Amino acid sequence: GRQVLFWPQFPKSAKTLEYASAIQGTPQGDFAVAWRFEDLPEDKNEYDSALVMVRIRLLVPPGGEGFMRPPFHTEEKFTIKHALSIPDLLGAKSAADGECSNRREARMGFPYSWEYDRINSRWYRLRSSKSIGTPCLSFLFHTTLNDITWSSSRDITQTFGEGTDERV
């Protein structure tokens, strides 16, 4: 549990999903990944054709090693920054968990789930009469972390263009 490979995958449209996250606990500490689409148009009907930015945040605990694999072969620009100090992640996690609990209690979920049609080999939305699956943004994007001091951007476009993993 000292090394983790981050290999995020993104939908082709924000209509499917606007953000996602995952945490993997290890004896070394928690590793986490979160991503979100940014610069989305106000009109959700334009989500399929909009040119947007994807922001990815990774958490690698002290003593751990993380590697980022490009999600797809591309020649788009990729840059990476590191936090210059350790932010209050426990405070951010606690605040984000509280907000998510409030959303759950208010039943702010969505009225569908994704189901797989084996006959047609396709995913489809199945409508539900109740709100399920309350979407909550990861603590890695919580507003309490907005004041993080970041390093200068390092361009890793070539590394990703070659399809090689990048140490983060």
Side-chain angles (χ1 to χ4, degrees):
R2 295 179 61 159
Q3 292 183 338
V4 166
L5 173 64
F6 296 104
W7 191 7
Q9 303 295 302
F10 314 109
K12 294 184 182 197
S13 170
K15 277 187 178 177
T16 306
L17 196 63
E18 292 180 33
Y19 54 84
S21 63
I23 298 174
Q24 176 64 54
T26 70
Q28 192 70 25
D30 287 348
F31 289 82
V33 58
W35 66 263
R36 69 180 178 194
F37 286 124
E38 295 187 345
D39 303 327
L40 288 165
E42 288 184 29
D43 183 355
K44 290 189 175 194
N45 291 322
E46 297 176 13
Y47 276 17
D48 284 339
S49 59
L51 182 61
V52 299
M53 182 172 82
V54 178
R55 183 171 308 277
I56 304 168
R57 289 201 173 164
L58 307 173
L59 172 62
V60 177
E65 287 184 285
F67 299 88
M68 173 83 172
R69 178 165 292 166
F72 43 79
H73 181 75
T74 182
E75 294 180 13
E76 295 296 322
K77 185 171 183 169
F78 280 89
T79 60
I80 191 169
K81 295 179 187 180
H82 292 88
L84 295 177
S85 62
I86 298 177
D88 181 13
L89 295 171
L90 294 177
K93 186 158 182 10
S94 176
D97 287 350
E99 290 173 13
C100 194
S101 290
N102 292 341
R103 289 178 59 81
R104 283 191 187 105
E105 288 171 12
R107 299 191 179 272
M108 297 178 79
F110 40 91
Y112 62 87
S113 62
W114 285 99
E115 301 288 332
Y116 189 71
D117 181 344
R118 292 182 182 186
I119 295 169
N120 295 316
S121 301
R122 292 185 57 140
W123 287 93
Y124 67 96
R125 284 186 186 194
L126 178 65
R127 287 280 193 212
S128 174
S129 60
K130 60 182 181 178
S131 292
I132 58 175
T134 306
C136 296
L137 196 60
S138 169
F139 73 97
L140 293 176
F141 285 113
H142 194 268
T143 56
T144 58
L145 299 178
N146 285 352
D147 295 332
I148 294 175
T149 304
W150 298 96
S151 67
S152 299
S153 292
R154 186 167 52 93
D155 191 331
I156 58 171
T157 306
Q158 182 175 354
T159 303
F160 273 18
E162 295 168 354
T164 5
D165 298 345
E166 176 73 22
R167 190 165 193 255
V168 293

